[in-house]
Amino acid sequence: RGAMLRSLAAFFITTVISFAFATRILDWLAQPIGGIGELQAIEVTESVSAFMRVSLLGGFVLAFPYIAFELFLFIAPGLRRRERFFVISTIPAATVLFIAGVAFAYFIMLPVALPFLLSFMGITTVPRPSNYIRFVTGLLFWIGVAFQFPLVMYLLAALGIVRARMLAEGWRIAIVAIAILAAVVTPTIDPVNMALVMAPMIVLYFLSIGLAAFAERARGRRAQLQEL
């Protein structure tokens, strides 16, 4: 309960801080369509909703390292000393991978997806703040989460929960699962944007196999040293 309360307090503080930068973040998110001036609200509270959504997302991103650290403190008593080292070392890596996923979605996916969506069937679309911000932030968030997969597999392999051979043998099932996930996450129904989501996720999966194998070897060497 204490860890949850401290995490919520940190999230509240970072959300308040992000209020000061929400307008700039909104403009940054709207750059793929020409800036915040291209958005047109048709409801009284629509702009406020978009502002709050961006503030909450900004607060979560800022608070993520601390929330992850609190999670580590919660599970640390049940881990061995070396396992604690592995878990806590993943926090900076998880942050970097999340940012990499967000950058991939923003700089590669959005420039391809948005022109297709905004001119589909020759119908010109004027984006609304609530719809556009929900669409963009949801895409950035889930792609950022997907980029955590190699790190999760490495951690599980280091703890002896999964094995690289199991991941390698299940690559066909993994690709089908990735295709389904890409179809859910992809903002459009065309194969180009779906392929843009699938390609890095497949690469990340095979990278996960290599990281799992590396973690297994390191774990085996430690076991041998302990026997000696």
Side-chain angles (χ1 to χ4, degrees):
R1 186 177 62 180
M4 183 178 295
L5 291 175
R6 287 190 296 271
S7 298
L8 289 175
F11 177 58
F12 175 78
I13 293 171
T14 53
T15 299
V16 172
I17 293 173
S18 67
F19 282 163
F21 304 97
T23 302
R24 296 181 183 179
I25 298 173
L26 272 167
D27 188 58
W28 178 74
L29 292 174
Q31 284 304 311
I33 60 171
I36 198 171
E38 297 298 319
L39 300 174
Q40 182 175 330
I42 62 174
E43 296 179 0
V44 175
T45 61
E46 194 168 352
S47 299
V48 177
S49 298
F51 181 90
M52 291 301 300
R53 185 178 182 87
V54 168
S55 299
L56 289 171
L57 181 63
F60 174 79
V61 172
L62 291 175
F64 176 77
Y66 179 78
I67 294 174
F69 182 69
E70 284 289 347
L71 179 61
F72 164 75
L73 293 178
F74 177 74
I75 65 175
L79 301 175
R80 299 184 181 90
R81 182 177 179 181
R82 188 167 293 275
E83 291 174 342
R84 294 177 187 176
F85 170 77
F86 276 119
V87 173
I88 197 170
S89 64
T90 61
I91 296 177
T95 304
V96 171
L97 285 173
F98 183 82
I99 294 173
V102 169
F104 172 81
Y106 182 82
F107 291 107
I108 297 179
M109 287 191 63
L110 285 178
V112 176
L114 286 174
F116 176 86
L117 290 172
L118 297 178
S119 60
F120 183 70
M121 293 181 61
I123 301 175
T124 302
T125 303
V126 179
R128 294 172 51 186
S130 60
N131 179 265
Y132 177 81
I133 296 302
R134 183 172 61 252
F135 161 74
V136 173
T137 54
L139 183 65
L140 298 183
F141 176 79
W142 288 113
I143 296 298
V145 170
F147 269 59
Q148 308 295 312
F149 187 74
L151 184 62
V152 173
M153 291 298 103
Y154 172 78
L155 181 60
L156 293 177
L159 297 177
I161 299 174
V162 300
R163 299 183 63 85
R165 183 176 179 179
M166 178 183 69
L167 295 175
E169 291 176 349
W171 68 270
R172 296 178 181 84
I173 298 175
I175 290 179
V176 173
I178 288 171
I180 295 173
L181 180 61
V184 174
V185 174
T186 303
T188 68
I189 58 174
D190 66 291
V192 175
N193 283 287
M194 186 174 173
L196 284 174
V197 178
M198 285 186 64
M201 293 180 72
I202 292 173
V203 172
L204 290 171
Y205 181 81
F206 285 103
L207 176 62
S208 301
I209 298 175
L211 290 175
F214 176 78
E216 284 181 24
R217 286 195 295 268
R219 190 166 179 267
R221 286 195 297 267
R222 290 194 302 271
Q224 292 176 356
L225 291 174
Q226 289 176 358
E227 291 177 358
L228 296 174

